Amino acid sequence: MSREIEVLEANEAFYRAIATRDADAMEALWSRQAPVACIHPGWDAIDGHAEVLGSFRALLESSSAPHLQCAVAAAHVVGDTAFVTCHELVAGARFVATNVFTREEGAWRMIHHHSSALGPVQPRVHRPEPELRS
Amino acid sequence: MSREIEVLEANEAFYRAIATRDADAMEALWSRQAPVACIHPGWDAIDGHAEVLGSFRALLESSSAPHLQCAVAAAHVVGDTAFVTCHELVAGARFVATNVFTREEGAWRMIHHHSSALGPVQPRVHRPEPELRS
């Protein structure tokens, strides 16, 4: 199995843990050894294993826990680290995410998650000269 | 010099290239060997060296090129890969970014940039139970 497919499976496991509200599965996905962080949509960065996992526990236990689906995931592997870009479909809204993984004890484990709102008319194509806003 | 400081300097070089509209410096910052990607605020992911660099060239050549400052950068190093979270201050607005680097030919080079709008009241603190939106 290629490393890209392994990473995409780890990425799918992340969204499955959210869909099934499985806090244990979520915790198992994150690195134990590396520094970790997380940026939820509209929020500032959260640093540290306890804080990141705490934010996901709060999310999974919340009555407003989102029912989201992952789409158009693309894996980029660089040695023992990888990042995935993908869409998150939530109640008609579309977000775009970066998920970063490192290979640890034979498994791909998350070290960072950054999710943000996608503009209303943003097909997944390559634009030669986008009107950038940053 | 610690790896964290090296990575923070590479991160600063990225924002300096934007501030000085230096397309050559920007190009030199990105990996030649690894797969690269980029997510500008509100936009979909852009994949590939030519497309990513093309988007930054368009940004730097644009009459509306932003005058942005980087703040509160935090580096997270995992072997030969690292990611930085930081704020981008642009004309009174505040964005939050993830910048991913890999060590290549003795230098830290970018492989991914993801920037997104930060909500209006989001101090950089650890909240025990944020009201998450993803």
Side-chain angles (χ1 to χ4, degrees):
Chain A
M1 185 165 62
S2 80
R3 296 206 138 195
E4 280 77 9
I5 292 175
E6 289 177 355
V7 169
L8 289 173
E9 289 191 347
N11 194 63
E12 285 167 13
F14 170 72
Y15 290 104
R16 196 162 53 242
I18 296 176
T20 57
R21 301 190 181 201
D22 188 337
D24 292 341
M26 175 61 75
E27 185 158 350
L29 278 167
W30 285 81
S31 168
R32 283 77 159 149
Q33 298 164 10
V36 303
C38 176
I39 300 172
H40 295 291
W43 286 86
D44 199 354
I46 298 170
D47 263 323
H49 196 267
E51 291 78 4
V52 168
L53 266 295
S55 78
F56 278 103
R57 260 195 303 276
L59 169 70
L60 299 178
E61 291 169 1
S62 162
S63 59
S64 60
H67 294 277
L68 62 80
Q69 283 186 295
C70 171
V72 293
H76 309 72
V77 180
V78 185
D80 281 340
T81 310
F83 69 92
V84 173
T85 59
C86 61
H87 287 184
E88 299 172 342
L89 313 179
V90 191
R94 191 175 286 259
F95 295 78
V96 60
T98 296
N99 296 318
V100 189
F101 298 85
T102 189
R103 199 161 169 80
E104 191 177 287
E105 298 169 354
W108 289 97
R109 296 218 171 104
M110 292 190 80
I111 53 175
H112 186 52
H113 166 72
H114 182 166
S115 175
S116 57
L118 195 57
V121 188
Q122 300 299 336
R124 195 179 184 84
V125 296
H126 297 149
R127 288 164 302 280
E129 292 200 3
E131 182 195 336
L132 302 177
R133 276 170 272 169
S134 84
Chain B
M1 186 165 59
S2 79
R3 296 206 138 195
E4 279 76 9
I5 292 176
E6 289 177 353
V7 169
L8 289 173
E9 289 190 349
N11 193 64
E12 284 167 14
F14 170 72
Y15 290 104
R16 196 162 51 240
I18 295 176
T20 57
R21 300 189 182 203
D22 188 337
D24 292 341
M26 176 61 75
E27 185 158 350
L29 278 167
W30 285 80
S31 169
R32 285 78 159 149
Q33 300 164 9
V36 303
C38 176
I39 301 173
H40 295 290
W43 286 85
D44 199 355
I46 298 171
D47 263 324
H49 196 266
E51 291 78 5
V52 168
L53 266 295
S55 79
F56 278 104
R57 260 194 304 275
L59 168 69
L60 299 178
E61 290 168 1
S62 162
S63 60
S64 61
H67 293 278
L68 62 79
Q69 282 186 295
C70 171
V72 292
H76 309 72
V77 180
V78 185
D80 281 340
T81 309
F83 69 92
V84 172
T85 60
C86 61
H87 287 184
E88 298 171 344
L89 313 179
V90 191
R94 192 176 285 260
F95 295 78
V96 60
T98 296
N99 296 318
V100 189
F101 298 85
T102 188
R103 198 160 172 80
E104 192 177 287
E105 298 168 353
W108 289 98
R109 296 220 173 103
M110 290 191 83
I111 53 175
H112 186 52
H113 167 72
H114 182 165
S115 175
S116 57
L118 195 56
V121 188
Q122 300 299 335
R124 195 179 184 85
V125 296
H126 298 149
R127 291 164 300 280
E129 291 200 2
E131 181 193 336
L132 302 177
R133 276 169 272 168
S134 84

